[in-house]
Amino acid sequence: MSFASPAMATTPLSRSCPIRIISVHLLGAAGELLRVLFLDREGHLSAEPHYVPRDEALILASNQQRVLGPQAEVRVL
């Protein structure tokens, strides 16, 4: 027996989830992936993922991308 309503099934998770993870993909000179790190709410990089509210995640990711430039890809998951 399922307790999920039909509305829940049709709502895309990516738009309804208020929490995100920010991943930072560090790239080598040739663009190859060297390492994946995660950003916390204070803007510190770590090996463990941290959950961040969506609005904060978008701002933190944008700022981190500016700081790291082309040597990384910052993604909000």
Side-chain angles (χ1 to χ4, degrees), residues 1-10:
M1 182 162 131
S2 172
F3 294 101
S5 71
M8 289 175 66
T10 60

Side-chain angles (χ1 to χ4, degrees), residues 32 47 52-53:
E32 74 277 9
V52 180

Side-chain angles (χ1 to χ4, degrees), residues 2-68:
S2 172
F3 294 101
S5 71
M8 289 175 66
T10 60
T11 304
L13 180 62
S14 63
R15 294 191 183 192
S16 65
C17 184
I19 305 173
R20 299 289 194 251
I21 296 172
I22 306 168
S23 68
V24 179
H25 299 233
L26 299 177
L27 307 174
E32 74 277 9
L33 180 64
L34 298 177
R35 188 165 185 194
V36 176
L37 297 172
F38 301 93
L39 205 59
D40 67 11
R41 286 182 86 168
E42 289 79 37
H44 299 115
L45 292 170
S46 74
E48 297 296 319
H50 297 272
Y51 295 100
V52 180
R54 183 182 182 276
D55 294 338
E56 288 180 41
L58 295 173
I59 293 168
L60 285 168
S62 176
N63 291 342
Q64 191 67 35
Q65 186 65 65
R66 285 187 194 122
V67 169
L68 295 174

